[in-house]
Amino acid sequence: TDYELQVVTLCKAFTFHVKQVMVKEATQLLVQSLVISRLDYCNSLLAGLPLRAIRPLQLVQNAAARLIFNLPKFTHVTPLLHSLHWLPVVARIRFKTRTLAYKAKNGPAPPYLMAMAKSRAVPRALRASSTARLEPPSLRTHGRQASRLFSVLAPRWWNELPLGVRTAESLAFFKRRLKTHLFVMHFSE
């Protein structure tokens, strides 16, 4: 009968869609555990590198996003990264460096990192004393590669953050606000 045919057709369509969703979720889980975790591992060491050095990592992330959605090689990837809630590699590096700066400023961080993140001292009680800024080091004491040092980049990138992000009450709030800030910066274009 027509009802039986409709039920069979509906079941086939449902099974097809469930398999597609399951495959996409499984692929996403595998890509995040095998590829994205490798991109994030020690990526703060890449801070300050020129974009041409970071571009191959971005291409890997783009390929991973296309793999999850099963799209061809030349598909525009920005909407895919947005829907996956993935920051571009450059933003991931800044996220990691700023998270280390938060830990160095507020704890818990190793003493050598805490020594590199000094709060800006304000001589008098000014409005600027409550802005939670870090003191950048003197560049005269460092060599040519000073612009890549954590002690130089962390205060610079930290001080660029909005006050609401810098003054987060906890590491969890800081990470949430920082990711939102970076997400808006990179995907609002």
Side-chain angles (χ1 to χ4, degrees), residues 23-117:
V23 168
K24 181 184 173 230
E25 288 175 356
T27 305
Q28 183 174 354
L29 186 64
L30 282 171
V31 166
Q32 284 180 316
S33 64
L34 297 174
V35 178
I36 301 303
S37 64
R38 294 287 177 111
L39 286 177
D40 287 341
Y41 179 72
C42 290
N43 68 359
S44 62
L45 295 174
L46 306 175
L49 283 178
L51 290 176
R52 72 177 183 277
I54 295 171
R55 179 141 172 75
L57 297 174
Q58 185 61 54
L59 293 175
V60 168
Q61 186 185 35
N62 294 352
R66 287 188 196 102
L67 176 67
I68 289 171
F69 288 100
N70 196 22
L71 293 172
K73 182 178 182 180
F74 296 107
T75 304
H76 187 60
V77 79
T78 303
L80 305 179
L81 296 177
H82 186 273
S83 69
L84 290 167
H85 294 278
W86 288 359
L87 290 169
V89 173
V90 171
R92 295 174 97 82
I93 292 169
R94 285 186 174 238
F95 179 88
K96 182 72 76 73
T97 303
R98 287 171 169 164
T99 301
L100 287 173
Y102 180 90
K103 290 177 179 180
K105 183 180 182 302
N106 302 308
Y112 67 91
L113 279 182
M114 293 178 105
M116 292 182 208

Side-chain angles (χ1 to χ4, degrees), residues 94-186:
R94 285 186 174 238
F95 179 88
K96 182 72 76 73
T97 303
R98 287 171 169 164
T99 301
L100 287 173
Y102 180 90
K103 290 177 179 180
K105 183 180 182 302
N106 302 308
Y112 67 91
L113 279 182
M114 293 178 105
M116 292 182 208
K118 297 176 185 144
S119 293
R120 180 175 283 171
V122 180
R124 294 177 280 144
L126 301 172
R127 194 171 29 162
S129 63
S130 65
T131 60
R133 294 189 179 272
L134 294 178
E135 186 68 41
S138 170
L139 291 179
R140 283 185 232 142
T141 60
H142 302 291
R144 281 178 42 157
Q145 298 297 322
S147 63
R148 288 204 50 225
L149 294 173
F150 176 82
S151 60
V152 174
L153 280 179
R156 184 185 320 151
W157 289 353
W158 177 266
N159 293 339
E160 291 172 358
L161 289 173
L163 182 63
V165 177
R166 286 194 313 260
T167 57
E169 308 82 44
S170 69
L171 181 60
F173 281 131
F174 174 77
K175 285 181 171 182
R176 188 176 307 137
R177 290 177 186 172
L178 178 59
K179 184 166 182 185
T180 300
H181 170 72
L182 291 170
F183 205 82
V184 167
M185 265 183 53
H186 287 277

